[in-house]
Amino acid sequence: MIDRSIKVQILTGSVIFILLAAYIYSAQAILSPIPVGLLLLFVISGIKDNPFAERLKIAIWGILIIWMFIRAQVIFFPFIVSFTLAYILDPVADFLVKHRFKRGLASIILVLLFCGLIVMFGFLMVPTLVQEINNLISSLPRLVDAVQIKVLENLPKVLHFLRIEETQFKKNLADTLPGGLQQLFNNLLKGLMSITSFVGQILNIIIIPVLTFYILKDFNSIRQWFLSLFTRRKRPRVSYYLWRINRIVGGYLRAQVIICTFVGIMTGLGLAFIARIQFAVLLGVLAGLLNFIPYIGLYVGLILTGLVAFLDPNPLFPLIKIVIVYAVVQGVEGAIIQPKIVGDRVGLHPVAVMFSVLFFAKFFGFWGLVIGVPSAAVVMFFIDEWKRKQALLEMIDERALKTK
C-alpha cells in the first residue's frame, strides 16, 4: 500500500504541474525560455533527494544554455573561440609546467606563438589566396562554358544508355545548366570570401588573444570551480565524466587540427607540382578546411577541384592526376596519421558520423559541422554508461533472486 503522505505529495505535485503548465500556456506570448526555465528551476529546487528532479534540472540548464548561445552568438563568439583555443593548447601548457615553466609564462608563450603563426600565415598565404580568388572570378565564364561543352559532348552516350529523349533533355539542360553552374560558383566564392572575412575579423579582434591567455592561465582553476558546483558525493563521478569527455572531444579537435593542416598542405603541393592545375593554393586551403567535415568534405573538395580541371584544354589527364593526389593524401591520412593520432576515441560508425554532421549542421550551422562528431560521440558515451548501469542492476537483481 502507498503511504498517505506519498499520495498527498503526488497529488500536490500533479496540481502544481497542471497549474504551472496552464500559466505558461496562457503567458506564452510574452514569456521567453529564460523566465520559464528559471521558474521551473525554482519549483524543482524544492524537491530534495529525487534523481528525476536532478536530471530535470540538468536538462533545463542545458536547454537554457543552448538557447542563449543561439540567440546571442555574436556576444559569445570571442569567448567560444578563446575557450576553444585555450582548450586545444592546455595539454601543451601542462607539458611546459611539468618542465618548470610557470603557468602564466607558459600561457604567454603559447598565445604569442599562436598569434605569430596566424600573422605568418597571413603574410605568406593571404595575398596568394586573394589573387587566386580574383583569377577564379575572372575565369568563371570560361569554366562554365568548358563544363557545359564537355557535358554536352558525352551526354548522348549516357542518354542512350538510360533511354531518355536526347533533344528535349538537351534543350532543358541548355536552359538551366549555365545559370545553375554560375550560381554554384557564386555561392562557393561567397563562402570563400566569408571565410576570408572571418579570418580577418579574428586577426582584428584584440580581445581573443587576451581572453585566451586568461582562460589558459586559469584553466585548471576553471575546472575545479566547475566541480565545486556539485556535492562531494557526486564530484568523483563528474570528474570521471569530464575526463572521458575530454578524451573524446579534446582528442578529436586536436587531432583534426593536425590532420586538416596535413591534408591542406599535401593537397596543395600535390595539385601544384603533380596535377599542375590552376588555383592550387586556394584548393589546398579549401581541402584542409573541408576535411574537418568527415566524408562529406572530401567529396565536395574533390568535385570542386575536378571542375577547375576543365579550364585545361585536355582535362582528362589533370582529372586523373587530381584523383591520384587525393587518393594518396587521403590514404596516408586514413592509414597512418589518423589511427596514430585519433585512434578509437570517437568510435562512431560512418553512417552515425554523417548523420551527426548533417543533424548538428541543421540546427547550429557552421558550428554544427565542427561539433557534430564529438557531440555524437559524447551522446554515445552516456548511452553506453546508461546501458552499463542497467546491466549492473539486472545482475544485482539476478543475484538477489538466487540468494532467496
Side-chain angles (χ1 to χ4, degrees):
M1 295 292 291
I2 301 177
D3 188 79
R4 181 179 177 80
S5 61
I6 298 178
K7 290 182 178 180
V8 172
Q9 290 180 4
I10 294 174
L11 180 61
T12 305
S14 301
V15 172
I16 293 174
F17 176 79
I18 294 172
L19 292 175
L20 183 61
Y23 168 73
I24 294 173
Y25 177 79
S26 61
Q28 59 180 335
I30 59 174
L31 287 179
S32 70
I34 291 180
V36 173
L38 294 177
L39 181 62
L40 288 173
L41 289 171
F42 174 75
V43 174
I44 296 171
S45 63
I47 304 174
K48 304 295 183 182
D49 299 325
N50 189 311
F52 177 76
E54 294 295 326
R55 294 189 184 97
L56 193 56
K57 287 180 186 178
I58 296 173
I60 293 172
W61 275 116
I63 293 172
L64 284 176
I65 291 171
I66 293 173
W67 182 84
M68 287 189 293
F69 168 74
I70 294 174
R71 298 285 292 185
Q73 293 185 47
V74 176
I75 298 174
F76 287 118
F77 175 75
F79 294 92
I80 294 172
V81 173
S82 300
F83 185 84
T84 304
L85 292 176
Y87 182 67
I88 292 173
L89 295 173
D90 179 61
V92 186
D94 290 338
F95 175 81
L96 293 177
V97 169
K98 290 179 180 178
H99 288 75
R100 300 182 180 180
F101 281 82
K102 291 186 177 180
R103 183 78 185 191
L105 179 60
S107 302
I108 291 175
I109 292 173
L110 291 175
V111 171
L112 290 177
L113 283 175
F114 179 80
C115 292
L117 288 174
I118 294 295
V119 172
M120 184 176 67
F121 175 83
F123 277 112
L124 294 177
M125 303 297 294
V126 170
T128 304
L129 289 174
V130 172
Q131 182 180 359
E132 290 197 351
I133 290 173
N134 291 330
N135 293 337
L136 181 59
I137 293 174
S138 62
S139 302
L140 271 181
R142 186 160 56 93
L143 179 58
V144 171
D145 292 339
V147 172
Q148 185 175 3
I149 290 171
K150 291 297 178 182
V151 170
L152 294 176
E153 285 179 355
N154 297 280
L155 190 60
K157 299 177 182 178
V158 179
L159 293 177
H160 179 72
F161 176 77
L162 297 175
R163 297 182 180 180
I164 298 175
E165 180 62 34
E166 182 178 343
T167 306
Q168 186 63 32
F169 188 87
K170 280 187 175 182
K171 182 178 182 302
N172 295 334
L173 188 65
D175 294 338
T176 59
L177 183 61
L181 288 174
Q182 190 74 33
Q183 184 66 31
L184 171 65
F185 283 103
N186 287 339
N187 292 336
L188 174 62
L189 289 173
K190 286 180 182 178
L192 292 173
M193 296 304 293
S194 65
I195 291 173
T196 306
S197 175
F198 171 77
V199 175
Q201 289 176 10
I202 290 183
L203 293 175
N204 292 327
I205 295 176
I206 304 300
I207 194 174
I208 289 180
V210 176
L211 285 174
T212 303
F213 164 72
Y214 282 111
I215 295 174
L216 183 59
K217 175 177 173 292
D218 298 322
F219 200 86
N220 294 329
S221 300
I222 294 172
R223 181 179 181 277
Q224 293 301 322
W225 170 82
F226 179 77
L227 288 175
S228 68
L229 298 176
F230 299 89
T231 61
R232 290 185 179 181
R233 183 171 58 87
K234 295 180 180 179
R235 285 175 195 172
R237 181 185 297 179
V238 175
S239 181
Y240 166 71
Y241 287 159
L242 288 178
W243 175 75
R244 286 297 306 270
I245 292 172
N246 177 59
R247 276 184 57 84
I248 296 171
V249 179
Y252 176 81
L253 290 179
R254 297 180 188 106
Q256 283 299 101
V257 170
I258 297 172
I259 291 172
C260 291
T261 303
F262 168 80
V263 170
I265 293 174
M266 297 308 296
T267 303
L269 292 175
L271 295 177
F273 296 105
I274 298 177
R276 296 184 179 276
I277 64 171
Q278 301 181 49
F279 319 117
V281 175
L282 176 62
L283 293 170
V285 173
L286 195 60
L289 293 174
L290 289 173
N291 197 74
F292 218 104
I293 310 171
Y295 302 106
I296 300 173
L298 166 63
Y299 298 116
V300 172
L302 182 59
I303 291 171
L304 294 176
T305 308
L307 289 175
V308 174
F310 281 94
L311 290 172
D312 193 276
N314 184 15
L316 179 60
F317 290 107
L319 281 173
I320 294 174
K321 293 178 181 178
I322 288 169
V323 173
I324 292 173
V325 168
Y326 268 84
V328 171
V329 172
Q330 293 296 323
V332 173
E333 180 259 327
I336 299 175
I337 297 179
Q338 189 167 4
K340 290 184 177 297
I341 298 177
V342 180
D344 57 351
R345 293 182 182 179
V346 176
L348 291 177
H349 191 275
V351 175
V353 170
M354 297 182 70
F355 175 79
S356 63
V357 169
L358 297 175
F359 178 82
F360 282 90
K362 173 66 177 178
F363 292 98
F364 299 102
F366 168 77
W367 295 109
L369 298 175
V370 177
I371 67 172
V373 174
S375 299
V378 171
V379 171
M380 287 301 299
F381 160 68
F382 281 109
I383 291 175
D384 291 339
E385 282 291 300
W386 177 78
K387 290 166 63 178
R388 184 180 63 82
K389 289 180 180 178
Q390 292 297 113
L392 182 61
L393 290 175
E394 289 178 1
M395 185 175 65
I396 293 173
D397 291 340
E398 289 177 0
R399 288 185 178 180
L401 290 173
K402 289 180 180 179
T403 56
K404 289 183 179 180

